[in-house]
Amino acid sequence: MGNKPALHIGTNLKTTSMPSPFWTDKPVAKNNKAKKVFKQIRKWSMLLILIFFVVMGLWGCMQTMWDGDIKTSPYVGQGFEFGYAIGTTGDYRFDLYSNGALGYYGFDNFTWQYGPFYALFVYPGAWFSTEIAWLGRGWWGSTNILLAIFLLLLIIRSLSLMVTLRSTLQNEKMSEVQGKVAEINAKYKGLTDAFSRQRKSQEVMEVYKKNNVKPFAAFEQMLITLPIFMIIYRVVSICRPMKTASLFNLWTFAKTPTTEIFSNFTHDGWLYLMLLLIILPVQFLSMRLPQIWARRRNKNASSISIAGIKQMKKSQLIQIVMTCVMCGIVAFSPTGVGVYWFLSALFSILQSYIMHHVILKSRRKGGQLEKKLDSFLSA
């Protein structure tokens, strides 16, 4: 909220002996100071949370490679598994049993011995998924597992919603100023002396500051992608109900599409090729459609200079490379992870479509909603 103008009594009088009312200046100063302190606290809190998630993601990734105690297997009853203790339900899809040195990882023997990544992220996800799977254990075609993955996705996306919105708005601003930045880069092209590099950096930062652009905020969503991927990957790999699940009686969640395609194509490997032909285009659209909608929103503000066009093509090339990398990850991950990314891609498309119309509607009304949202999310 903006500061209200101070109330003055008898401003047309010449006397100055009357002191200012107590509500005029000091409360405003205190409010401004409190606002700055709160802003700094929020900024550093978000930074620490982001660093924590990145560290946890790297921890989970490295642990998968060097920790033999969490070695997994796509075969039921082998490798590191999570489920109920033997005899709890009498259903092999949920009950575990000792399988050698690895033992089992059930509700009754959870400890921190597998590290903070498993304790804080994988265990809650596996527990939640197993409970949902048990509630729908009689459903056809493992649709109970599909529901468990969908609800897990909904929870994760809800928890990361602020980061997603912040990243979306920052990408929006970057799209608006990329023409100006490209012109600055063209202006100093070929100039490698220290003074020119410093002037170039200053001019770019002035453009960012004038438009309230925080360049690194646009990458926040990318940074939390790794821990989210590792959480889902491990949940699908160790959760006993998911290892036994076969979606619509066609695709086994624990199997890897590329492995099945190259080693068992004539039997049922071709079914996994069909699955990839369903998942990968949607994954591509989830990364491409937001760009198309952003260009439509900013077609009047975008630079039509040659430098602006080159910058846009460079951004598109980077996006294509990232899309190919993501598609490759999906193809070489368990089918359950691919199903998760398919649902996540649909969710992203819907969210981007809603944001597209919200921003357009806001701009028709002067952009007030967009400004309020950006002010709330900015640290």
Side-chain angles (χ1 to χ4, degrees):
M1 297 179 62
N3 296 326
K4 295 182 179 180
L7 177 62
H8 297 278
I9 300 176
T11 54
N12 60 330
L13 298 180
K14 295 182 179 181
T15 179
T16 59
S17 60
M18 181 178 293
S20 301
F22 69 89
W23 62 81
T24 55
D25 296 323
K26 290 184 179 180
V28 173
K30 290 182 179 180
N31 288 338
N32 286 338
K33 185 176 181 180
K35 187 176 180 180
K36 291 180 179 178
V37 171
F38 175 75
K39 188 174 181 180
Q40 289 297 318
I41 292 175
R42 185 174 62 174
K43 175 182 177 180
W44 286 104
S45 298
M46 291 183 63
L47 180 61
L48 291 175
I49 291 173
L50 188 63
I51 292 174
F52 173 75
F53 273 96
V54 172
V55 170
M56 287 294 99
L58 293 174
W59 183 304
C61 185
M62 297 300 296
Q63 188 180 17
T64 301
M65 295 185 289
W66 56 258
D67 191 349
D69 289 340
I70 61 169
K71 182 180 179 181
T72 59
S73 171
Y75 301 103
V76 178
Q78 299 183 20
F80 191 63
E81 292 187 343
F82 183 98
Y84 298 108
I86 184 171
T88 302
T89 68
D91 189 334
Y92 83 98
R93 298 174 300 174
F94 296 88
D95 287 0
L96 302 176
Y97 53 88
S98 180
N99 53 7
L102 292 178
Y104 68 89
Y105 185 60
F107 295 109
D108 59 336
N109 70 338
F110 166 71
T111 66
W112 283 74
Q113 64 179 317
Y114 300 109
F117 178 71
Y118 270 83
L120 298 176
F121 298 100
V122 179
Y123 174 80
W127 172 84
F128 177 80
S129 300
T130 302
E131 288 293 323
I132 297 299
W134 173 252
L135 292 176
R137 58 190 177 278
W139 294 4
W140 174 83
S142 298
T143 48
N144 59 327
I145 304 298
L146 189 64
L147 176 64
I149 292 178
F150 173 78
L151 293 178
L152 188 61
L153 162 68
L154 190 61
I155 292 173
I156 292 175
R157 294 300 292 262
S158 298
L159 293 175
S160 60
L161 181 61
M162 288 188 62
V163 175
T164 303
L165 292 177
R166 175 182 166 92
S167 179
T168 300
L169 290 176
Q170 286 298 318
N171 283 327
E172 186 76 10
K173 292 180 180 180
M174 288 294 291
S175 297
E176 293 176 357
V177 304
Q178 69 176 359
K180 297 178 181 178
V181 173
E183 290 178 354
I184 294 175
N185 291 333
K187 176 181 175 182
Y188 290 94
K189 184 178 180 180
L191 301 178
T192 58
D193 58 284
F195 177 77
S196 298
R197 291 199 302 268
Q198 183 179 6
R199 286 295 304 164
K200 173 185 173 181
S201 178
Q202 289 177 348
E203 291 186 23
V204 171
M205 293 307 298
E206 286 175 2
V207 171
Y208 286 159
K209 184 177 181 180
K210 182 179 179 181
N211 294 273
N212 194 25
V213 175
K214 298 177 176 61
F216 294 105
F219 297 97
E220 290 176 354
Q221 188 175 3
M222 295 173 56
L223 292 177
I224 66 172
T225 298
L226 175 61
I228 290 176
F229 171 77
M230 289 306 304
I231 292 169
I232 300 301
Y233 180 86
R234 301 310 295 178
V235 167
V236 172
S237 300
I238 71 172
C239 201
R240 179 65 172 265
M242 292 192 181
K243 290 180 67 173
T244 61
S246 180
L247 184 61
F248 307 135
N249 299 325
L250 297 174
W251 302 294
T252 303
F253 275 78
K255 293 183 178 180
T256 303
T258 50
T259 302
E260 295 301 309
I261 291 172
F262 291 111
S263 65
N264 197 23
F265 184 81
T266 56
H267 185 242
D268 58 3
W270 62 275
L271 292 173
Y272 292 88
L273 177 60
M274 289 179 57
L275 181 66
L276 291 181
L277 292 178
I278 295 173
I279 293 177
L280 297 185
V282 176
Q283 180 71 33
F284 176 80
L285 288 174
S286 70
M287 304 183 77
R288 186 62 177 162
L289 286 177
Q291 285 187 323
I292 296 175
W293 289 328
R295 285 204 302 270
R296 290 181 181 178
R297 292 192 300 269
N298 302 307
K299 60 183 179 180
N300 294 328
S302 299
S303 172
I304 58 175
S305 65
I306 296 177
I309 294 174
K310 288 183 178 180
Q311 181 69 23
M312 184 180 297
K313 289 182 178 180
K314 183 178 179 181
S315 300
Q316 290 176 353
L317 179 61
I318 294 174
Q319 192 69 30
I320 291 173
V321 172
M322 290 179 56
T323 302
C324 293
V325 171
M326 292 301 300
C327 291
I329 292 175
V330 171
F332 285 91
S333 300
T335 298
V337 177
V339 172
Y340 170 83
W341 282 111
F342 173 77
L343 295 175
S344 180
L346 292 178
F347 193 94
S348 297
I349 291 173
L350 178 62
Q351 179 179 283
S352 298
Y353 181 76
I354 294 174
M355 283 293 296
H356 172 65
H357 286 280
V358 167
I359 292 174
L360 288 180
K361 185 177 181 180
S362 173
R363 290 179 179 178
R364 285 195 293 266
K365 295 182 178 181
Q368 293 301 317
L369 179 60
E370 189 178 0
K371 292 177 182 178
K372 289 180 179 179
L373 184 60
D374 180 54
S375 177
F376 175 74
L377 295 173
S378 295

